[in-house]
Amino acid sequence: FRGAQARQLAAHAAAFPGPVVIGGDMNTFAYAADLASGGAPNDSTVPALTDAGYADAHAAIKPHKRGTTRVEYGVRMVIDLIFVKDADIQDSGICPAKTCDPLSDHLPVWTEIRLK
């Protein structure tokens, strides 16, 4: 279901010329396991966007440091994501838990891009 939504979003965004940034709480609950295993994806959302030419803005961050939810069931989930197309990712990050855990049930994510 979420993969279909991501494909529809990418198809809609394809009509716009220039760079595109897609981000938010994508509820990609299997993505943490996909990152850790490096194998075939269990989550359909991320491949729907990467197959459409989008780059995961946080790909350079080690998988065990990518969690953005509060620690539930002993692990942080990787569900808050930013994807970029037709722009260069310069830097990206996740607000440190010691700073942002008290503010929300999700850690804010950010990225800096350079337009092509």
Side-chain angles (χ1 to χ4, degrees), residues 42-65:
N42 293 301
D43 182 85
S44 61
T45 305
V46 174
L49 294 170
T50 56
D51 289 350
Y54 287 84
D56 179 346
H58 296 92
I61 299 174
K62 294 180 190 256
H64 69 280
K65 297 200 177 256

Side-chain angles (χ1 to χ4, degrees), residues 4-64:
Q5 290 175 325
R7 282 188 295 281
Q8 185 177 19
L9 182 59
H12 178 71
F16 297 98
V20 178
V21 177
I22 297 173
D25 176 352
M26 297 191 187
N27 289 324
T28 50
F29 296 109
Y31 192 38
D34 294 347
L35 289 168
S37 73
N42 293 301
D43 182 85
S44 61
T45 305
V46 174
L49 294 170
T50 56
D51 289 350
Y54 287 84
D56 179 346
H58 296 92
I61 299 174
K62 294 180 190 256
H64 69 280

Side-chain angles (χ1 to χ4, degrees), residues 10 17 19 21 33-34 48 57 68 71 77 79 81 96 114-115:
V21 177
D34 294 347
T68 58
V71 178
M77 303 303 296
I79 63 174
L81 304 170
R114 177 182 297 150
L115 302 178

